Amino acid sequence: MANQEDKFKKVIAHAKEYGYIFGSSEIYDGLSAVYDYGQNGAELKKNIREYWWKSMVFMHQNIVGLDASIFMHPTTWKASGHVDAFTDPLIDNKDSKKRYRADVLIEDYAEKLNIKAQKEIAKAKKRFGDAFDEAQFAATNPRVVKYLSEREEVLKRMGASLEKEDLNDVKALIEELGIADPDTGSKNWTDVRQFNLMFGTKLGASADTATDLYLRPETAQGIFVNFLNVQKTGRMKIPFGIAQTGKAFRNEIVARQFIFRMREFEQMEMQFFVKPGDEMKWYDYWKETRLNWHLSLGLGEENYRFHDHDKLAHYANAAADIEFNFPFGFKELEGIHSRTDFDLKAHEEFSGRKLQFFDPELKESYTPYVVETSVGLDRMFLAVFSTALQDETLEDGSTRVVLKLPAVVAPVKAAVLPLVKKDGLPEIAQQIIDELKWNFNVVYDEKDAIGRRYRRQDANGTPLCITVDHDTLTDQTVTIRDRDTMEQKRVAIKDLKTLISERVDMEYWLK
Ligand code: ATP
């Protein structure tokens, strides 16, 4: 655990030191759970977005893009269910004035019971050695049975109370279990209330005519309300998809964990419209396709797993998360949901407009079903960045910090370095940059000894370094050094473009 925390702190510090992520409005002491992307972060984020966009829109003839507004007619959010149901149960501690999610307090309590049970099991395992039957021990040891059954009861009761909207019972449970404020130990709690996560704002100049608006809490609804616009003008036939990336806003009650849970974040969503009855086939297709997209980045198969939902949201008939092994454990990275015709039907009802597709083969109209893939761009960023950051011990015993970003998304593709600051080498380096800059983001660096410059680029995540030396003057060749293997090769300047392409182009990653 300490190790994990340590690693996470390093990730946050490195992201700041190398211009990837800053706290928002830091000079005013920041704004909680809001972040700014610096010079490198903006590039990395843009590259991840583009990698997603091209894999969706360019690679599928039946998927097109959309860029809907953040503001939408307020009835949108009534139809979608967000006004009534996009809530978390919150509780305040009267002494510490700290606010918590009531469900998270109870879940943490349940997890402690689980940890106690696992400790007993681990102890017994040690005692009994090879002869140990873990399943039997867990089922029969009185202490383990007690911990695990209490855990189950607690979660079951919470689930039932939340389902019934019985918030008094949620509070009663917190009191019965003796759950205290994790920060101060106080048990002086307020009642539990539902807290809507949408940010409200106003449209219009004068107080009495102003309309209440919300900042969108997801990008999906912009796709649903434009379903017919896109279908008609694009002459799309079912099945087809609409992809969109953009900001979403949620007033998260507890927003820790850096860019994992933000109040302003970016989503990359695709809604795939299918014939009713075909949705499970497409749901399976998109689960597999999306996992393969993640795997193409080479962060390690062992870092992903599916979590299939047993308890489904009101709009879904199947749902799964792709979870990623973040520095704080496996957590949701992407959601894949079979949303039935819930959204289009709701918008038909609230708007009074038909949102149906006329199937020319069946010669009839129907409301399509929807399979959605929804991934957080910032969470993708964290997954890529935190896995890439490594402390490496080299053969000679020295160490280096290296940011092994997948080259396809790395902010800077190559650094061009003159060995010395004289003899015409800087000028040649500049000429190389002038040729490469049309295709790649490249930088120039002439400060410090070459070894230090390599290390700086390693820590910055730059996959390639191109060094101009005195031989370059006579034979038009340079050294190209690979960040990950640290291998150096002598190559002709005229071949650089092809060599870099082969390392960084999407074609070589996604295929
Ligand atoms: P969680 O359970 O973690 O709150 P969610 O199930 O509410 O997430 P969805 O509504 O399915 O999330 O949103 C789709 C994706 O958007 C998530 O998989 C995640 O990557 C991203 N996302 C959601 N909320 C946030 C947030 N507050 N900050 C950053 N990314 C987020």
Side-chain angles (χ1 to χ4, degrees), residues 61-109:
Q61 287 300 306
N62 60 350
I63 298 182
V64 292
L66 180 76
D67 183 2
S69 299
I70 287 170
F71 289 146
M72 299 182 71
H73 191 285
T75 309
T76 309
W77 306 111
K78 286 207 184 97
S80 68
H82 283 82
V83 171
D84 292 328
F86 196 56
T87 54
D88 280 335
L90 72 81
I91 189 164
D92 292 289
N93 188 282
K94 289 185 197 159
D95 297 327
S96 70
K97 308 270 179 269
K98 288 219 153 117
R99 177 162 285 184
Y100 296 93
R101 266 174 66 173
D103 55 335
V104 172
L105 286 177
I106 296 169
E107 275 165 12
D108 287 350
Y109 178 92

Side-chain angles (χ1 to χ4, degrees), residues 358-365:
F358 178 75
D359 191 321
E361 275 152 36
L362 295 177
K363 301 219 175 355
E364 66 177 40
S365 295

Side-chain angles (χ1 to χ4, degrees), residues 218-231:
E218 61 175 32
T219 57
Q221 299 305 324
I223 295 180
F224 294 128
V225 301
N226 278 296
F227 159 72
L228 264 195
N229 284 338
V230 173
Q231 190 273 319

Side-chain angles (χ1 to χ4, degrees), residues 251-449:
N251 200 357
E252 301 278 2
I253 297 172
V254 184
R256 294 191 216 103
Q257 299 177 315
F258 196 37
I259 57 169
F260 180 82
R261 191 173 297 288
M262 303 158 91
R263 296 204 163 99
E264 171 180 344
F265 59 100
E266 194 163 335
Q267 289 186 312
M268 306 191 285
E269 295 197 301
M270 193 278 300
Q271 310 291 329
F272 201 69
F273 299 90
V274 306
K275 204 163 91 188
D278 281 356
E279 71 273 15
M280 289 321 283
K281 180 179 89 188
W282 287 110
Y283 172 70
D284 290 337
Y285 170 86
W286 282 112
K287 268 176 80 174
E288 188 191 328
T289 305
R290 292 302 304 146
L291 182 64
N292 285 339
W293 180 84
H294 287 284
L295 293 179
S296 74
L297 286 170
L299 303 177
E301 209 165 326
E302 69 285 1
N303 285 322
Y304 300 86
R305 70 181 188 200
F306 276 115
H307 168 234
D308 293 306
H309 290 210
D310 320 313
K311 212 177 141 242
L312 296 170
H314 57 287
Y315 52 75
N317 67 358
D321 298 334
I322 296 176
E323 295 186 336
F324 185 77
N325 190 10
F326 287 100
F328 35 83
F330 275 93
K331 287 267 154 58
E332 173 177 344
L333 171 61
E334 167 154 5
I336 295 139
H337 311 123
S338 172
R339 298 181 70 122
T340 68
D341 56 2
F342 174 85
D343 304 273
L344 290 180
K345 277 261 166 75
H347 287 304
E348 282 190 325
E349 189 192 318
F350 278 80
S351 69
R353 310 277 176 93
K354 277 237 166 312
L355 296 175
Q356 296 193 339
F357 171 75
F358 178 75
D359 191 321
E361 275 152 36
L362 295 177
K363 301 219 175 355
E364 66 177 40
S365 295
Y366 57 79
T367 310
Y369 271 39
V370 172
V371 175
E372 156 183 88
T373 72
S374 174
V375 54
L377 175 50
D378 312 88
R379 280 192 197 176
M380 263 314 288
F381 188 115
L382 184 59
V384 168
F385 191 89
S386 60
T387 312
L389 184 60
Q390 293 171 21
D391 281 321
E392 218 175 52
T393 307
L394 305 176
E395 269 170 25
D396 64 3
S398 65
T399 57
R400 68 164 180 163
V401 176
V402 53
L403 189 61
K404 291 187 171 174
L405 295 172
V408 65
V409 294
V412 177
K413 305 303 185 193
V416 186
L417 320 169
L419 189 64
V420 291
K421 265 189 271 187
K422 54 180 187 190
D423 305 336
L425 304 189
E427 287 76 9
I428 298 181
Q430 199 52 57
Q431 278 168 18
I432 292 176
I433 287 185
D434 285 342
E435 272 169 44
L436 295 178
K437 71 183 180 191
W438 297 94
N439 294 284
F440 313 105
N441 190 24
V442 284
V443 298
Y444 176 81
D445 188 6
E446 60 172 24
K447 195 168 172 289
D448 299 324

